[in-house]
Amino acid sequence: MNHPIVDTDTLTHPAVRLERVTKDFGGGVLGLDDVTAEFRTGAITVLLGLSGSGKSTLLRHLNGLHRPTSGSVSVLGQDVASLRGRPLRTLRREIAVIFQHFNLIGPMSVLENVCTGRLGSLVGPRLSLMMYPESVRRQALEKLDRVGLADRAYQRADTLSGGQQQRVAIARALMQNPKILLADEPVASLDPVSAREVMSLIQEISSENQLTVISSLHQVQLAIDFADRIVGLRSGRIVLDQATEGLYAEEASEIYTSVSGMALAGHGGR
C-alpha cells in the first residue's frame, strides 16, 4: 500500500487547540467550563464521559457549529470563532463528521450516499447518481472499496446492517479528503462486534492518512484499545487526560469512575 507523503513540520503542531474555552448556554448551564486542550495531528483522541458532560459541545466548537462564550478555538491554525461565510465553509471542508445514527438517505444507493460527501465542493444540485461527475463516482467507488463495501455500491443504503451503514458514512466522510475527522458517538448504535470493526477501520484510516480523529465515546475499553489518548469530561470540565499506551483492562473501571464522578457521589462529595 502506498502511504501519503507526510509533512513532518505539520505534525509538530497541534491540529486543534482550545484555550480557556467556556460555553455558557444561559440559566447557569455551562456546556464547557474553562477547557484548555490540544489535539495532536494524526492522533486518535477519545472524549470520554457521561451524557451531558460536554463531549458533543466540544466537538461542535471545532467546526463552528458552536462559538465559545469566552476563550479561543484554533483548528488547523485558524481561529474558528472569527470565521464567517466562505472562509468558514472552506475550513469545514477540511473537517469531516460522522454521527451515531449514520445520517444516510435510506432509499438512495450506497454509492450516491458516498458521492454526497463531495457536495460542498460542487456547484448546483445533484438529483441523481449520474449527475455527479465521473471522477466523483470513481472516487466514491474507491472509498467504498477502502471500507470493504464496493460490492454493495448499488444497493439501497437502508438495506445494510448498522455496521455497514456506519462504514458507508465513513466512506462519505473520506470523500472530503479531510484533515480532521470528528466522530460523535460513532458506535453507540452498534453491537459490540460491529463497534470494534468500525473503530478498527477508523484507526487504520487515521494511520494511513495521518488523519486527526477526535471521537466521543461511552465505552472505556474501546477507548483504551483504539485511541492514543483519552480526555475525560465531567460537567464541562476536563477531569482526565491520559495516554492509552500501557493501560490495561483492569484500569477501565477506575477511568470510568474518574470521569463519571461516581467516586465523589459515593463519598457524599459535592
Side-chain angles (χ1 to χ4, degrees):
M1 179 182 298
N2 292 324
H3 294 281
I5 297 174
V6 176
D7 183 350
T8 54
D9 183 61
T10 299
L11 300 185
T12 63
H13 296 90
V16 174
R17 178 184 288 115
L18 292 87
E19 183 70 29
R20 305 205 66 175
V21 172
T22 292
K23 178 61 175 179
D24 188 346
F25 288 112
V29 178
L30 294 181
L32 295 174
D33 186 2
D34 198 31
V35 168
T36 294
E38 292 186 348
F39 297 87
R40 181 168 56 85
T41 299
I44 300 176
T45 303
V46 163
L47 307 177
L48 199 65
L50 302 178
S51 297
S53 62
K55 305 187 303 299
S56 295
T57 300
L58 191 155
L59 290 175
R60 289 175 185 139
H61 276 76
L62 306 187
N63 60 0
L65 292 179
H66 284 333
R67 297 181 184 274
T69 305
S70 62
S72 64
V73 179
S74 174
V75 176
L76 300 175
Q78 299 188 72
D79 178 16
V80 180
S82 69
L83 300 178
R84 300 287 190 281
R86 181 175 294 178
L88 180 58
R89 291 193 297 272
T90 299
L91 177 64
R92 284 175 172 165
R93 285 200 287 269
E94 306 271 20
I95 306 170
V97 184
I98 58 175
F99 304 92
Q100 174 181 344
H101 296 297
F102 324 131
N103 287 2
L104 302 181
I105 301 174
M108 190 182 284
S109 72
V110 167
L111 183 59
E112 190 170 355
N113 268 282
V114 176
C115 286
T116 65
R118 284 291 301 277
L119 285 175
S121 59
L122 298 174
V123 177
R126 296 294 185 272
L127 302 179
S128 70
L129 177 62
M130 298 311 295
M131 292 185 71
Y132 287 90
E134 182 182 356
S135 60
V136 172
R137 285 179 273 138
R138 185 168 57 249
Q139 184 185 14
L141 279 170
E142 291 171 358
K143 301 306 183 188
L144 277 174
D145 185 54
R146 176 61 192 86
V147 302
L149 290 174
D151 60 332
R152 305 297 181 101
Y154 298 100
Q155 189 169 325
R156 276 177 57 128
D158 56 9
T159 65
L160 301 181
S161 69
Q164 290 171 329
Q165 288 191 57
Q166 192 60 291
R167 283 193 276 161
V168 173
I170 292 170
R172 178 183 59 193
L174 294 177
M175 288 293 287
Q176 295 179 221
N177 297 314
K179 294 180 180 177
I180 296 174
L181 176 65
L182 307 180
D184 195 359
E185 299 288 354
V187 298
S189 299
L190 304 181
D191 64 80
V193 172
S194 297
R196 295 191 70 83
E197 290 175 350
V198 166
M199 290 305 299
S200 179
L201 178 62
I202 290 173
Q203 185 183 53
E204 292 170 8
I205 291 171
S206 172
S207 177
E208 291 168 9
N209 302 321
Q210 283 298 317
L211 182 64
T212 304
V213 178
I214 305 173
S215 174
S216 61
L217 288 178
H218 286 294
Q219 303 93 326
V220 179
Q221 192 59 56
L222 283 179
I224 291 174
D225 291 345
F226 293 106
D228 299 299
R229 170 184 170 213
I230 294 172
V231 172
L233 289 161
R234 183 171 71 240
S235 301
R237 298 184 68 91
I238 291 179
V239 295
L240 174 78
D241 190 341
Q242 185 170 353
T244 57
E245 185 177 2
L247 287 179
Y248 299 99
E250 56 266 26
E251 298 176 79
S253 61
E254 295 178 19
I255 292 174
Y256 190 78
T257 297
S258 71
V259 300
S260 67
M262 290 165 60
L264 291 175
H267 289 88
R270 292 166 293 180

